[in-house]
Amino acid sequence: MTRTTKFSLVCSTALVAFAGAAAAQSVTIGITQNNVGVDSYQTTYEQAFMAAAAENPDVEVVVLDAGGDVARQIAQIQDLIQQDVDAMIIWPTNGQAVIPAVREAFQADIPVVITNSNIAEDGFDFVRSFSGPDNVTQGARSAEIMCDRFTELGIQDEARIVQITGQPGYTTAIERAEGFEQRLPEVCPNVTLVESQPGNWNREDSQRVMEAFLVQYDDIDGVYSGDDNMGVGALNAALAAGRADEITFVGATNFAVGYDAMGRGEYWGSIYQSPVDDAEAALQTALDILAGEDVPFLNYFDTPKITQENMSEFDRPVF
């Protein structure tokens, strides 16, 4: 049984238990997401969230998408407050900008769960729980993957790398870069991070960023990308330039395209994170809060390292 299947069974069982405990009392949970359609992770997350909710007849959901627009998400939060939902799940488009709206939900006595990407610390007092990955740890683990590979190649004292980050101002992008940049000098102090540029979670943008890096730098030993969608964009640029064989590519969320590139020997490693786990964890966190259970503020699920050497232990991502 796979990791994802195990998690799904746990969540399904818990949803049934919640239904019994609630004595058929319906609850309405509203969710406003970041930008469904910008990548396959968010699209799969939405599908998994609605599927998990559909398994429980006593749970109704209002599913909204901000389309990457902060103003739209703020309006959606205010709309969910007007609808008087029992709990609210928010995937922030911007961790700082949404805080006033989250405060409004708090003042309306609506428990808020932040999913996937946390809000800025100034807003923590208005949130019941964060459900998602530990992005700083993910970045740190990616640095360890990179350093281990350089050590195997014998270039740990001379390697030069570039970084492609996610959308500027987006908490996940900030935290993954922070984790990577803090951990890399601890494990490989002589590796040089030459430059960082945003790829905006977009494969085409990241390919253009990498094309510029390849023109500017004759010596690039590694590329760290905030997720595999961007990482494969960088890989495509290096393949077109005939320089992919000399570069180690490491990401921080393993997409299917990254997994396949690892299978071909073109992409070295990443962090295994399931959008199904992510969605089910967020819904279950909200249900646990409504059931009066003690939920930790930082409710992380594990995201292990995956490389060419251990990828057979993991199912191909569904996104």
Side-chain angles (χ1 to χ4, degrees), residues 161-167 173 176-177 180 193 195-203 205-211 213 222-227 229-235 237 249-252:
I161 65 173
V162 292
Q163 177 179 211
I164 302 178
T165 61
Q167 182 180 342
R176 286 183 185 166
F180 184 85
L193 175 57
E195 186 176 347
S196 298
Q197 290 292 336
N200 305 310
W201 308 124
N202 184 279
R203 194 179 307 175
D205 287 356
S206 301
Q207 182 167 340
R208 287 191 287 270
V209 169
M210 188 62 188
E211 287 169 349
F213 282 154
V223 177
Y224 167 59
S225 301
D227 69 20
N229 192 44
M230 297 189 297
V232 168
L235 171 64
F249 293 88
V250 174

Side-chain angles (χ1 to χ4, degrees), residues 20 22 44 66 76 119 162 179-180 184 200 248:
T44 305
Q76 289 177 345
I119 64 172
V162 292
F180 184 85
L184 185 65
N200 305 310
T248 295

